[in-house]
Amino acid sequence: MDRTTIENAALKLFHERGFGAVKVQDICAECGITKPTFYHYVPSKDDILLRYNEKALDTVEAHVAGTDPEGPVSQLLGAYLVLIDECERIGPDLLSRITCSNLQKNHGSYDTRPTIIERMEAIITAGQRSGAIGNAGDPHQLYLSSAYLYEGLQFMWCLKRGDFDWRAQLREGLTALWQVKA
């Protein structure tokens, strides 16, 4: 038994029944383990969702580590689209649960890794230098504004239970914020 097996079983049950309807004992039964074994690997049900969020950031970090042949705007937008893919995979109900858990206690789910921030700022700077990004503002402030735009759209997607085209809204918002040259 390992943590990944428990997490995958829990996510499957969360999707089938809803987070609140799944008890730790249900996850244990799905995995064929005891509660002490569950708690040896996983501190709580919420921790499973918080860790999913960390894995999503791994995906973003890998995306911004390289280069995009289509240029900096494509790479920046792509980083947010990777996050949207991960959010859509987990669904609005479980993503809402992550948000609620962070409102009760800041688990750092909305703190972006310094490596991602530095890389996004470098990509913004490269976009400004190449003229692809017309907004000459401070790259750090542009990154923060971009991240807050994304988080606001993520909240709306959860609030509207997934019935919200946040990809289109994100493209339009980032195009305006960055003053993307056509």
Side-chain angles (χ1 to χ4, degrees), residues 32-45:
I33 60 174
T34 63
K35 276 188 177 183
T37 301
F38 175 89
Y39 287 116
H40 173 75
Y41 289 101
V42 182
S44 69
K45 286 184 354 179

Side-chain angles (χ1 to χ4, degrees), residues 108-158:
S109 296
Y110 296 100
D111 298 339
T112 304
R113 296 177 185 165
T115 53
I116 294 174
I117 295 170
E118 290 168 11
R119 185 66 186 131
M120 295 283 276
E121 290 172 0
I123 297 167
I124 290 169
T125 300
Q128 289 171 322
R129 287 187 183 138
S130 72
I133 295 176
N135 187 331
D138 175 56
H140 181 69
Q141 288 304 313
L142 288 175
Y143 163 75
L144 288 176
S145 296
S146 302
Y148 296 151
L149 170 64
Y150 167 82
E151 289 169 3
L153 293 171
Q154 175 183 293
F155 176 79
M156 291 304 299
W157 184 74
C158 289

Side-chain angles (χ1 to χ4, degrees), residues 26-73:
D26 298 326
I27 300 167
C28 293
E30 182 77 16
C31 295
I33 60 174
T34 63
K35 276 188 177 183
T37 301
F38 175 89
Y39 287 116
H40 173 75
Y41 289 101
V42 182
S44 69
K45 286 184 354 179
D46 278 320
D47 190 66
I48 292 168
L49 296 179
L50 297 170
R51 184 146 139 143
Y52 183 89
N53 194 64
E54 280 299 308
K55 290 178 183 177
L57 288 177
D58 290 344
T59 307
V60 172
E61 194 165 30
H63 180 83
V64 297
T67 58
D68 188 318
E70 294 185 37
V73 172

Side-chain angles (χ1 to χ4, degrees), residues 9 19-20 55 58 72 82-83 87 97 105 114 150 153 160 165:
F19 184 86
K55 290 178 183 177
D58 290 344
V82 163
L83 271 176
C87 291
R97 179 65 196 175
K105 177 185 175 197
Y150 167 82
L153 293 171
K160 294 182 181 241
D165 187 359

